[in-house]
Amino acid sequence: MIRVVAIDDEVQIRRLLRICLERDDFKVYDASDGEEGLRQILNVKPDLVLLDLGLPDMDGKDVLSSLREWSSIP
């Protein structure tokens, strides 16, 4: 099973991603902001991260820069 972390501040988008991906046997973990997303990534060790660039607490590019310091997850 492929594990995905979806980081987006809009609950409707996270819900849509979960419905679509779980239908194809992905395991979806979600986060509503960058800090929570980085924690999820550390805990889950996903195969893929789906990242919104416009987050309420930090820019998505900053999340990606932080992630790239310790991971190459696509």
Side-chain angles (χ1 to χ4, degrees):
M1 182 173 295
I2 296 174
R3 295 176 316 269
V4 176
V5 171
I7 306 170
D8 198 298
D9 59 322
E10 294 187 40
V11 69
Q12 300 90 344
I13 292 176
R14 292 194 317 269
R15 187 177 302 132
L16 176 64
L17 288 170
R18 178 178 298 278
I19 290 167
C20 292
L21 292 170
E22 286 182 346
R23 182 180 54 210
D24 289 325
D25 295 324
F26 286 76
K27 176 66 178 164
V28 179
Y29 303 85
D30 60 34
S32 60
D33 61 44
E35 292 285 328
E36 181 184 0
L38 289 170
R39 282 193 303 275
Q40 283 280 33
I41 293 166
L42 277 170
N43 292 329
V44 172
K45 310 275 190 288
D47 301 295
L48 177 69
V49 174
L50 300 175
L51 174 62
D52 180 13
L53 295 180
L55 297 170
D57 64 336
M58 56 193 306
D59 189 270
K61 291 179 184 178
D62 294 333
V63 174
L64 183 58
S65 293
S66 178
L67 176 61
R68 288 292 169 249
E69 290 176 9
W70 46 270
S71 177
S72 61
I73 297 168

XYZ file of all heavy atoms in Angstrom:
592
model
N 0.838 -1.178 0.000
C 0.000 0.000 0.000
C 0.885 1.244 0.000
O 1.824 1.348 0.772
C -0.913 -0.002 1.221
C -1.841 1.175 1.256
S -3.071 1.125 2.583
C -4.009 -0.286 2.102
N 0.573 2.175 -0.855
C 1.322 3.425 -0.959
C 0.760 4.419 0.049
O -0.440 4.649 0.108
C 1.243 3.985 -2.393
C 1.907 3.019 -3.358
C 1.892 5.368 -2.462
C 1.759 3.393 -4.810
N 1.657 4.996 0.843
C 1.267 5.981 1.858
C 1.485 7.394 1.313
O 2.554 7.700 0.779
C 2.097 5.792 3.121
C 1.835 4.468 3.813
C 2.753 4.288 5.016
N 4.134 4.668 4.760
C 5.081 3.837 4.330
N 4.810 2.576 4.111
N 6.310 4.272 4.136
N 0.465 8.242 1.469
C 0.502 9.616 0.968
C 0.163 10.566 2.105
O -0.777 10.319 2.859
C -0.531 9.803 -0.174
C -0.563 11.246 -0.643
C -0.246 8.864 -1.326
N 0.923 11.653 2.209
C 0.555 12.747 3.103
C 0.082 13.900 2.231
O 0.812 14.362 1.352
C 1.723 13.200 4.006
C 1.365 14.471 4.756
C 2.096 12.106 4.995
N -1.149 14.336 2.447
C -1.735 15.461 1.723
C -1.790 16.660 2.658
O -2.436 16.599 3.704
C -3.132 15.102 1.229
N -1.115 17.742 2.269
C -1.058 18.939 3.104
C -1.810 20.056 2.372
O -1.364 20.528 1.326
C 0.398 19.364 3.366
C 1.207 18.199 3.942
C 0.436 20.571 4.293
C 2.699 18.457 4.004
N -2.945 20.435 2.927
C -3.760 21.498 2.339
C -4.636 22.091 3.426
O -5.142 21.358 4.272
C -4.634 20.926 1.206
C -5.162 22.010 0.297
O -5.919 22.890 0.789
O -4.828 21.996 -0.902
N -4.821 23.400 3.397
C -5.631 24.045 4.436
C -7.125 23.974 4.151
O -7.921 24.291 5.024
C -5.193 25.503 4.642
C -5.301 26.343 3.384
O -5.015 25.824 2.293
O -5.647 27.527 3.492
N -7.517 23.535 2.972
C -8.942 23.443 2.640
C -9.434 22.012 2.858
O -9.002 21.077 2.193
C -9.182 23.872 1.203
C -8.881 25.353 0.993
C -9.278 25.825 -0.383
O -10.339 25.399 -0.871
O -8.507 26.617 -0.945
N -10.352 21.873 3.798
C -10.851 20.548 4.177
C -11.502 19.836 2.988
O -11.387 18.615 2.859
C -11.791 20.636 5.396
C -13.088 21.333 5.051
C -12.050 19.276 5.985
N -12.159 20.577 2.108
C -12.821 19.953 0.962
C -11.812 19.316 0.015
O -12.067 18.246 -0.542
C -13.671 20.980 0.177
C -14.754 21.635 0.978
C -14.275 22.916 1.675
O -13.092 23.179 1.818
N -15.230 23.708 2.120
N -10.677 19.960 -0.165
C -9.641 19.398 -1.034
C -9.042 18.152 -0.397
O -8.847 17.133 -1.061
C -8.564 20.449 -1.351
C -9.178 21.537 -2.239
C -7.358 19.795 -2.033
C -8.264 22.687 -2.548
N -8.770 18.210 0.903
C -8.238 17.026 1.589
C -9.226 15.873 1.512
O -8.843 14.725 1.288
C -7.894 17.343 3.047
C -6.717 18.289 3.193
C -6.161 18.336 4.614
N -7.146 18.387 5.669
C -7.639 19.507 6.195
N -7.268 20.690 5.734
N -8.510 19.454 7.189
N -10.497 16.165 1.680
C -11.533 15.130 1.612
C -11.582 14.506 0.213
O -11.638 13.290 0.059
C -12.890 15.721 1.979
C -13.987 14.680 2.096
C -15.324 15.278 2.528
N -15.190 15.964 3.809
C -15.654 17.188 4.060
N -16.297 17.868 3.140
N -15.498 17.724 5.252
N -11.534 15.344 -0.831
C -11.547 14.849 -2.205
C -10.324 13.974 -2.492
O -10.443 12.896 -3.074
C -11.604 16.013 -3.195
C -11.537 15.632 -4.667
C -12.755 14.811 -5.064
C -11.402 16.879 -5.532
N -9.157 14.428 -2.063
C -7.940 13.633 -2.265
C -8.057 12.282 -1.563
O -7.704 11.249 -2.127
C -6.717 14.396 -1.749
C -6.271 15.582 -2.585
C -5.211 16.387 -1.843
C -5.766 15.133 -3.938
N -8.560 12.296 -0.331
C -8.703 11.049 0.426
C -9.646 10.086 -0.298
O -9.335 8.912 -0.483
C -9.223 11.329 1.833
C -9.449 10.054 2.653
C -9.909 10.359 4.055
N -8.931 11.115 4.803
C -7.869 10.577 5.421
N -7.668 9.277 5.350
N -7.032 11.324 6.093
N -10.801 10.582 -0.731
C -11.788 9.728 -1.413
C -11.190 9.124 -2.685
O -11.289 7.919 -2.919
C -13.067 10.530 -1.728
C -13.825 10.840 -0.434
C -13.959 9.777 -2.711
C -14.931 11.880 -0.604
N -10.581 9.970 -3.495
C -10.037 9.492 -4.775
C -8.870 8.526 -4.589
O -8.800 7.497 -5.265
C -9.593 10.677 -5.625
S -10.952 11.710 -6.194
N -7.972 8.848 -3.685
C -6.787 8.005 -3.502
C -7.111 6.701 -2.783
O -6.576 5.646 -3.139
C -5.697 8.781 -2.775
C -5.081 9.924 -3.587
C -4.192 10.786 -2.698
C -4.309 9.398 -4.777
N -7.965 6.759 -1.767
C -8.297 5.527 -1.054
C -9.058 4.546 -1.936
O -8.935 3.341 -1.771
C -9.079 5.837 0.222
C -8.187 6.407 1.304
C -8.902 6.694 2.603
O -10.156 6.713 2.635
O -8.189 6.928 3.597
N -9.792 5.069 -2.899
C -10.499 4.207 -3.847
C -9.512 3.348 -4.646
O -9.826 2.232 -5.045
C -11.349 5.068 -4.780
C -12.164 4.277 -5.773
C -12.992 5.152 -6.668
N -12.138 6.137 -7.323
C -12.532 7.348 -7.700
N -13.768 7.730 -7.483
N -11.702 8.162 -8.290
N -8.297 3.872 -4.825
C -7.249 3.131 -5.539
C -6.230 2.515 -4.580
O -5.074 2.293 -4.944
C -6.559 4.054 -6.544
C -7.459 4.397 -7.717
O -8.253 3.535 -8.130
O -7.374 5.533 -8.218
N -6.653 2.267 -3.350
C -5.853 1.555 -2.339
C -4.627 2.307 -1.830
O -3.678 1.686 -1.368
C -5.450 0.172 -2.851
C -6.652 -0.726 -3.045
O -7.602 -0.627 -2.237
O -6.659 -1.519 -4.004
N -4.648 3.634 -1.889
C -3.619 4.419 -1.228
C -4.045 4.606 0.226
O -5.224 4.645 0.535
C -3.492 5.808 -1.865
C -2.824 5.817 -3.207
C -3.504 5.403 -4.349
C -1.523 6.257 -3.340
C -2.910 5.429 -5.591
C -0.910 6.289 -4.580
C -1.613 5.870 -5.704
N -3.094 4.732 1.114
C -3.367 5.088 2.505
C -3.065 6.573 2.637
O -1.937 7.008 2.383
C -2.501 4.254 3.464
C -2.642 4.629 4.916
C -4.028 4.329 5.417
C -4.116 4.665 6.906
N -5.459 4.751 7.373
N -4.068 7.376 2.994
C -3.921 8.826 3.003
C -3.908 9.359 4.436
O -4.764 9.034 5.242
C -5.070 9.493 2.216
C -4.930 11.006 2.240
C -5.108 8.976 0.782
N -2.901 10.184 4.702
C -2.794 10.927 5.954
C -2.860 12.390 5.553
O -2.305 12.767 4.519
C -1.461 10.647 6.649
C -1.242 9.182 6.935
C -0.709 8.343 5.964
C -1.580 8.641 8.162
C -0.519 6.994 6.210
C -1.380 7.299 8.427
C -0.847 6.483 7.442
O -0.655 5.152 7.698
N -3.541 13.224 6.331
C -3.626 14.613 5.908
C -3.239 15.574 7.010
O -3.153 15.202 8.179
C -5.002 14.951 5.326
C -6.136 14.728 6.305
O -5.941 14.929 7.507
O -7.226 14.366 5.842
N -2.969 16.800 6.577
C -2.579 17.869 7.493
C -3.132 19.177 6.954
O -3.207 19.378 5.744
C -1.058 17.933 7.600
N -3.500 20.068 7.875
C -4.108 21.331 7.466
C -3.132 22.499 7.410
O -3.500 23.589 6.987
C -5.256 21.681 8.415
O -4.769 21.816 9.727
N -1.891 22.282 7.832
C -0.888 23.346 7.733
C 0.507 22.727 7.630
O 0.672 21.511 7.733
C -0.988 24.330 8.907
C -0.770 23.688 10.262
O 0.165 22.876 10.414
O -1.528 24.009 11.197
N 1.495 23.574 7.411
C 2.857 23.103 7.189
C 3.475 22.386 8.371
O 4.115 21.342 8.214
N 3.305 22.935 9.556
C 3.872 22.314 10.762
C 3.308 20.912 10.969
O 4.048 19.958 11.211
C 3.592 23.180 11.998
C 4.323 24.489 12.026
C 5.792 24.325 12.356
O 6.144 23.399 13.116
O 6.583 25.132 11.852
N 1.998 20.799 10.881
C 1.350 19.495 11.042
C 1.784 18.541 9.923
O 2.014 17.360 10.160
C -0.170 19.664 11.031
C -0.936 18.374 11.218
C -2.443 18.555 11.110
O -2.926 19.686 10.888
O -3.135 17.536 11.248
N 1.928 19.067 8.724
C 2.364 18.252 7.597
C 3.749 17.675 7.810
O 3.988 16.493 7.564
N 4.668 18.501 8.286
C 6.026 18.010 8.542
C 6.024 16.944 9.638
O 6.749 15.946 9.544
C 6.950 19.177 8.896
C 7.287 20.107 7.734
C 8.004 21.361 8.235
C 8.135 19.376 6.692
N 5.191 17.129 10.664
C 5.088 16.107 11.716
C 4.536 14.799 11.142
O 5.041 13.716 11.465
C 4.195 16.599 12.859
C 4.869 17.573 13.800
C 4.067 17.785 15.074
N 2.714 18.257 14.839
C 2.379 19.528 14.678
N 3.299 20.468 14.743
N 1.112 19.874 14.471
N 3.514 14.906 10.298
C 2.941 13.706 9.676
C 4.002 12.981 8.847
O 4.105 11.764 8.891
C 1.754 14.066 8.770
C 0.486 14.368 9.495
C -0.243 13.097 9.916
O 0.338 12.072 10.232
N -1.542 13.187 9.918
N 4.776 13.739 8.093
C 5.810 13.132 7.253
C 6.827 12.396 8.118
O 7.236 11.272 7.796
C 6.488 14.198 6.370
C 5.481 14.742 5.344
C 7.711 13.620 5.668
C 5.922 16.019 4.646
N 7.237 13.014 9.214
C 8.192 12.358 10.122
C 7.621 11.071 10.704
O 8.322 10.058 10.801
C 8.569 13.305 11.266
C 9.657 14.315 10.981
C 9.736 15.331 12.117
C 10.985 13.627 10.779
N 6.362 11.097 11.089
C 5.743 9.939 11.728
C 5.381 8.830 10.754
O 5.551 7.654 11.057
C 4.479 10.361 12.496
C 4.790 11.216 13.691
O 5.837 11.072 14.308
N 3.889 12.106 14.027
N 4.858 9.196 9.605
C 4.308 8.223 8.658
C 5.363 7.653 7.723
O 5.263 6.509 7.287
C 3.166 8.887 7.842
C 2.693 8.001 6.714
C 2.023 9.268 8.749
N 6.371 8.460 7.374
C 7.371 8.064 6.365
C 6.661 7.691 5.056
O 6.747 6.568 4.575
C 8.221 6.891 6.849
C 8.818 7.050 8.217
C 10.107 7.808 8.175
C 10.854 7.785 9.480
N 10.320 8.563 10.549
N 5.952 8.665 4.453
C 5.139 8.361 3.273
C 5.982 8.107 2.031
O 7.175 8.428 1.985
C 4.304 9.623 3.100
C 5.193 10.710 3.612
C 5.892 10.085 4.797
N 5.321 7.565 1.020
C 5.944 7.353 -0.282
C 5.804 8.591 -1.163
O 6.541 8.748 -2.138
C 5.276 6.164 -0.980
C 5.389 4.903 -0.154
O 6.527 4.426 0.035
O 4.355 4.404 0.323
N 4.837 9.454 -0.839
C 4.518 10.627 -1.645
C 3.909 11.713 -0.766
O 3.163 11.409 0.161
C 3.507 10.232 -2.737
C 2.983 11.317 -3.657
C 4.092 11.804 -4.585
C 1.817 10.780 -4.472
N 4.241 12.971 -1.088
C 3.639 14.110 -0.390
C 2.948 14.990 -1.427
O 3.537 15.335 -2.454
C 4.707 14.942 0.360
C 4.094 16.200 0.957
C 5.381 14.106 1.431
N 1.686 15.328 -1.175
C 0.941 16.287 -1.990
C 0.865 17.570 -1.174
O 0.308 17.579 -0.074
C -0.455 15.760 -2.306
C -0.489 14.453 -3.083
C -1.924 13.956 -3.226
C 0.146 14.619 -4.444
N 1.422 18.654 -1.708
C 1.630 19.867 -0.915
C 1.016 21.090 -1.586
O 1.361 21.424 -2.719
C 3.143 20.080 -0.733
C 3.621 21.351 -0.061
C 3.110 21.443 1.359
C 5.147 21.404 -0.089
N 0.123 21.755 -0.861
C -0.424 23.046 -1.280
C 0.646 24.101 -1.014
O 1.270 24.108 0.049
C -1.686 23.333 -0.466
C -2.349 24.647 -0.807
O -1.995 25.258 -1.834
O -3.236 25.063 -0.047
N 0.860 25.003 -1.953
C 1.887 26.029 -1.759
C 1.387 27.214 -0.934
O 2.185 27.964 -0.393
C 2.425 26.508 -3.107
C 3.180 25.445 -3.904
C 3.668 26.023 -5.226
C 4.346 24.892 -3.109
N 0.070 27.373 -0.806
C -0.481 28.487 -0.039
C -1.079 28.007 1.265
O -2.274 27.762 1.336
N -0.261 27.866 2.276
C -0.710 27.384 3.584
C -0.818 28.542 4.570
O -0.127 29.554 4.417
C 0.260 26.323 4.116
C 0.360 25.064 3.270
C 1.521 24.193 3.741
C -0.942 24.287 3.323
N -1.635 28.406 5.603
C -1.857 29.525 6.532
C -0.662 29.843 7.437
O -0.454 30.999 7.789
C -3.056 29.073 7.364
C -3.067 27.596 7.270
C -2.494 27.265 5.917
N 0.116 28.853 7.812
C 1.184 29.100 8.783
C 2.546 29.319 8.159
O 3.391 29.993 8.717
C 1.260 27.964 9.803
C 1.633 26.630 9.182
O 1.400 26.438 7.973
O 2.152 25.771 9.914
N 2.785 28.732 6.994
C 4.065 28.901 6.316
C 3.874 28.634 4.831
O 2.958 27.920 4.441
C 5.140 27.994 6.918
C 4.814 26.520 6.944
S 5.879 25.474 7.969
C 7.505 25.812 7.432
N 4.715 29.232 4.035
C 4.643 29.037 2.601
C 4.975 27.592 2.258
O 5.854 26.990 2.879
C 5.635 30.000 1.923
C 5.470 30.026 0.432
O 6.137 29.212 -0.238
O 4.666 30.832 -0.061
N 4.277 27.029 1.303
C 4.542 25.650 0.896
C 5.975 25.443 0.444
O 6.553 24.371 0.633
N 6.582 26.476 -0.154
C 7.992 26.378 -0.571
C 8.899 26.214 0.644
O 9.906 25.517 0.580
C 8.387 27.593 -1.397
C 7.706 27.629 -2.749
C 8.104 28.865 -3.523
C 7.341 28.935 -4.832
N 7.670 30.152 -5.585
N 8.532 26.852 1.753
C 9.313 26.702 2.988
C 9.163 25.291 3.551
O 10.118 24.717 4.076
C 8.890 27.730 4.030
C 9.213 29.155 3.596
O 10.171 29.334 2.809
O 8.506 30.076 4.034
N 7.957 24.741 3.453
C 7.736 23.354 3.881
C 8.632 22.436 3.050
O 9.318 21.561 3.579
C 6.253 22.938 3.729
C 6.075 21.459 4.027
C 5.365 23.781 4.612
N 8.631 22.655 1.747
C 9.445 21.828 0.854
C 10.932 21.981 1.152
O 11.665 20.993 1.197
C 9.150 22.187 -0.604
C 9.875 21.364 -1.652
C 9.562 19.877 -1.498
C 9.505 21.852 -3.044
N 11.387 23.204 1.391
C 12.800 23.422 1.728
C 13.176 22.687 3.007
O 14.227 22.052 3.084
C 13.084 24.916 1.896
O 12.960 25.573 0.677
N 12.311 22.766 4.003
C 12.557 22.064 5.259
C 12.588 20.552 5.039
O 13.460 19.848 5.553
C 11.479 22.435 6.274
O 11.666 21.745 7.470
N 11.639 20.063 4.268
C 11.579 18.631 3.968
C 12.841 18.166 3.255
O 13.390 17.106 3.562
C 10.335 18.342 3.120
C 10.141 16.917 2.625
C 10.006 15.952 3.792
C 8.923 16.850 1.716
N 13.325 18.950 2.316
C 14.502 18.568 1.530
C 15.779 18.526 2.362
O 16.771 17.944 1.937
C 14.686 19.514 0.337
C 13.660 19.296 -0.740
C 13.877 17.916 -1.405
N 12.752 17.589 -2.246
C 11.873 16.636 -1.995
N 11.976 15.900 -0.906
N 10.883 16.385 -2.808
N 15.764 19.109 3.542
C 16.941 19.040 4.415
C 17.191 17.631 4.907
O 18.310 17.279 5.264
C 16.784 19.988 5.597
C 16.853 21.441 5.216
C 16.600 22.365 6.381
O 16.529 21.896 7.538
O 16.482 23.578 6.140
N 16.134 16.792 4.944
C 16.289 15.452 5.504
C 15.583 14.356 4.717
O 15.594 13.189 5.123
C 15.844 15.405 6.958
C 14.538 16.095 7.225
C 14.358 17.397 7.554
C 13.229 15.524 7.174
N 13.021 17.673 7.709
C 12.307 16.530 7.483
C 12.744 14.246 6.900
C 10.938 16.322 7.521
C 11.371 14.034 6.940
C 10.492 15.053 7.250
N 14.965 14.709 3.571
C 14.236 13.680 2.816
C 14.196 14.019 1.325
O 14.247 15.186 0.937
C 12.813 13.574 3.349
O 12.073 12.640 2.579
N 14.074 12.977 0.528
C 13.909 13.167 -0.929
C 12.552 12.601 -1.380
O 12.388 12.261 -2.551
C 15.048 12.496 -1.679
O 15.050 11.102 -1.425
N 11.595 12.506 -0.474
C 10.251 12.007 -0.796
C 9.691 12.844 -1.934
O 9.740 14.071 -1.867
C 9.332 12.111 0.429
C 9.818 11.236 1.568
C 7.895 11.741 0.050
C 9.113 11.512 2.886
N 9.171 12.187 -2.956
C 8.573 12.977 -4.063
C 7.270 13.643 -3.645
O 6.603 13.224 -2.733
C 8.296 11.926 -5.148
C 8.419 10.590 -4.506
C 9.129 10.765 -3.212
